[in-house]
Amino acid sequence: MPANLPPEYFKVEQKYLQARTLEEKILATQELIRIAPKHKGTEKLLRVLKRRLAKLRRELEGREKRRGGGPSFAVKKEGCAQVALVGLPNSGKSTLLRKLTNARPEVAEYPFTTRLPVPGMMNYEDVQVQLVEIPSLVEGSSLGRGLGAQPLSAARNADVIALVVDASSDILSQVKTLVRELEESGVRLNRSPPRVTIERRGEGGIVIRGKELAEGGEEGIKELLREHGIHNALVVVEERVSLRTLEEILEGSVVYRPCFVLLTKTDLSPAVGEPPEGLKVIDAGKPPEELKREIFESLGLIRIYTKRPNEGPSENPLVLPRGSTPLDVARAIHKELERGMRSARVWGSTRFPGQWVPRDYPLQDGDVVELHS
Ligand SMILES: Nc1nc2c(ncn2[C@@H]2O[C@H](COP(=O)(O)OP(=O)(O)OP(=O)(O)O)[C@@H](O)[C@H]2O)c(=O)[nH]1
Ligand SMILES: [Mg+2]
């Protein structure tokens, strides 16, 4: 099918060809993607353009890493989750980190005070959550503006994203900028990862389950895999996906993270506007203990205390994703345990203390669990 590209497409393509810097190439490629018509005949072109964009971005990040002595941007994970504090300059990230952890980053009224990620431990009851102040983002961070794209890769590395938003200036536009920059660098917020697995194999060709759910069907998937040099793989597709999504999975270029807003400077004036609907918002002006509880509750984690028959519950909880079951508890303790697991007794969320539950029972924060084979 002919692509029928509009004349301006070729103008921008010219711009791309003449671009001298990586940033210019990225901008031109983004523009090409935007103006290329979206239909069957341009699918392949769009894929090629998006792949080029991803490659240019990786180059940009790689270059910055080499320049800036990269390792200092990577923060080793500690505690039950790493939460990135992401915000525009002066949004109050350091102030918040000082309020909630033992870290002592400099607070100042000029922008870009914090230039490297700063970790701190937030103690909440019997768990520890790692908060990391990410150096400020600005519009265009994903293109290397402001402090460059490295803050974005530090944010990408975290388990959860907290958008630190200054309530005394336009809330919606701050959220939009942050979300856009994160999306541009391959961080999807509050969305579940596509239910697709691609497992490379040594032989057997390309086997596909659920091919009718993939855009382009069997041929589309096979062509995509071939383009990536993959000739043997098991592909399982469990929901409708585009070829672009399949490509992201192949390249591991996108991560999916839960996200919420921490609203700062609520003491200054009435809040300016509102964040988009559906995004959880926490007033960071609350007393520390209350704030810590709300943050923990926003991480999508639950604390589970295990016990053996006739003994007391463990002192330190296992911290698992919300919705975890006794089977997940068994798995978290030991693979072996998982196999023999039949049922469990639960104290806490059940109607009766010590009630027998099936192994797929959805546990709640604070439950005590006794596993039985
Ligand atoms: N009134 C008020 N001022 C705040 C609050 N939080 C931060 N500030 C002030 O805002 C300015 C910036 O605060 P920081 O905590 O340094 O902000 P940041 O996001 O870490 O800034 P950079 O690291 O420079 O990007 C400082 O002058 C703080 O005193 C708040 O909740 N209320
Ligand atoms: Mg700071």
Side-chain angles (χ1 to χ4, degrees):
M1 201 185 282
N4 283 335
L5 297 167
E8 61 194 288
Y9 182 91
F10 299 99
K11 274 196 208 137
V12 182
E13 192 169 64
Q14 223 31 54
K15 209 158 83 184
Y16 170 79
L17 291 170
Q18 285 160 7
R20 290 172 176 270
T21 66
L22 270 176
E23 286 85 345
E24 284 167 8
K25 284 186 191 166
I26 291 177
L27 275 174
T29 307
Q30 279 178 327
E31 207 177 334
L32 287 174
I33 293 172
R34 201 171 49 243
I35 60 182
K38 315 286 182 287
H39 57 68
K40 244 228 94 55
T42 56
E43 264 171 20
K44 187 139 186 206
L45 172 71
L46 280 166
R47 252 186 8 249
V48 170
L49 288 172
K50 286 177 179 170
R51 195 176 306 154
R52 182 161 90 199
L53 183 61
K55 189 158 162 271
L56 289 167
R57 289 221 176 94
R58 280 198 297 274
E59 268 175 52
L60 185 69
E61 274 184 30
R63 192 186 70 193
E64 288 187 355
K65 237 178 229 161
R66 284 191 299 279
R67 267 195 200 157
S72 45
F73 264 84
V75 178
K76 189 169 164 276
K77 290 188 182 180
E78 279 170 41
C80 65
Q82 187 183 75
V83 181
L85 302 179
V86 175
L88 299 186
N90 267 340
S91 52
K93 300 177 292 301
S94 296
T95 306
L96 202 49
L97 196 67
R98 292 177 77 106
K99 178 172 177 177
L100 297 171
T101 75
N102 49 357
R104 288 293 169 264
E106 191 186 339
V107 169
E109 67 240 338
Y110 55 86
F112 302 118
T113 311
T114 309
R115 306 190 78 92
L116 287 174
V118 186
M121 273 303 194
M122 178 180 97
N123 292 315
Y124 166 65
E125 296 182 354
D126 49 8
V127 288
Q128 291 201 308
V129 177
Q130 187 183 41
L131 305 184
V132 182
E133 176 179 1
I134 305 294
S136 287
L137 299 186
V138 295
E139 175 142 19
S141 285
S142 53
L143 288 166
R145 296 210 186 105
L147 297 171
Q150 269 183 301
L152 280 165
S153 45
R156 191 187 151 94
N157 192 42
D159 304 307
V160 177
I161 306 286
L163 304 177
V164 179
V165 174
D166 174 352
S168 68
S169 67
D170 190 341
I171 293 175
L172 191 59
S173 98
Q174 290 173 74
V175 171
K176 279 193 176 156
T177 302
L178 296 172
V179 170
R180 196 183 320 118
E181 295 304 324
L182 287 161
E183 290 265 339
E184 286 293 326
S185 69
V187 186
R188 302 267 145 85
L189 303 172
N190 288 343
R191 274 186 273 159
S192 14
R195 287 188 294 134
V196 175
T197 53
I198 301 171
E199 191 190 312
R200 286 175 170 231
R201 292 176 157 183
E203 54 182 22
I206 292 171
V207 180
I208 308 168
R209 292 203 202 119
K211 52 179 171 269
E212 63 287 349
L213 293 171
E215 175 200 355
E218 181 167 354
E219 258 327 294
I221 298 179
K222 286 194 167 160
E223 191 183 342
L224 184 68
L225 290 177
R226 276 198 300 270
E227 285 169 10
H228 284 77
I230 300 172
H231 301 282
N232 301 292
L234 171 66
V235 181
V236 181
V237 186
E238 292 180 285
E239 68 181 17
R240 293 213 153 275
V241 281
S242 66
L243 280 173
R244 179 58 203 152
T245 304
L246 284 174
E247 182 156 36
E248 287 169 358
I249 296 168
L250 271 176
E251 294 173 347
S253 56
V254 171
V255 296
Y256 293 80
R257 300 287 184 251
C259 164
F260 59 92
V261 171
L262 287 165
L263 210 51
T264 61
K265 308 196 189 183
T266 47
D267 56 309
L268 285 181
S269 54
V272 183
E274 276 176 38
E277 232 175 276
L279 197 53
K280 169 152 192 195
V281 181
I282 303 174
D283 178 355
K286 288 190 173 151
E289 281 316 306
E290 232 172 285
L291 187 52
K292 286 179 183 181
R293 181 176 49 76
E294 285 207 34
I295 290 175
F296 181 76
E297 284 172 357
S298 307
L299 302 180
L301 297 173
I302 53 174
R303 291 167 293 176
I304 302 299
Y305 304 81
T306 53
K307 76 180 277 301
R308 292 170 192 281
N310 309 316
E311 285 180 20
S314 60
E315 215 166 281
N316 295 317
L318 282 172
V319 183
L320 298 173
R322 189 171 293 145
S324 289
T325 65
L327 197 61
D328 297 316
V329 174
R331 189 178 300 135
I333 299 172
H334 203 292
K335 267 246 171 282
E336 286 295 304
L337 211 56
E338 180 192 353
R339 219 167 298 152
M341 241 282 283
R342 296 276 166 275
S343 59
R345 295 180 70 191
V346 172
W347 287 256
S349 66
T350 47
R351 180 131 39 133
F352 312 109
Q355 190 170 319
W356 288 94
V357 299
R359 56 189 203 167
D360 61 353
Y361 173 80
L363 294 163
Q364 304 283 333
D365 183 45
D367 275 354
V368 175
V369 180
E370 189 180 281
L371 303 174
H372 287 266
S373 51

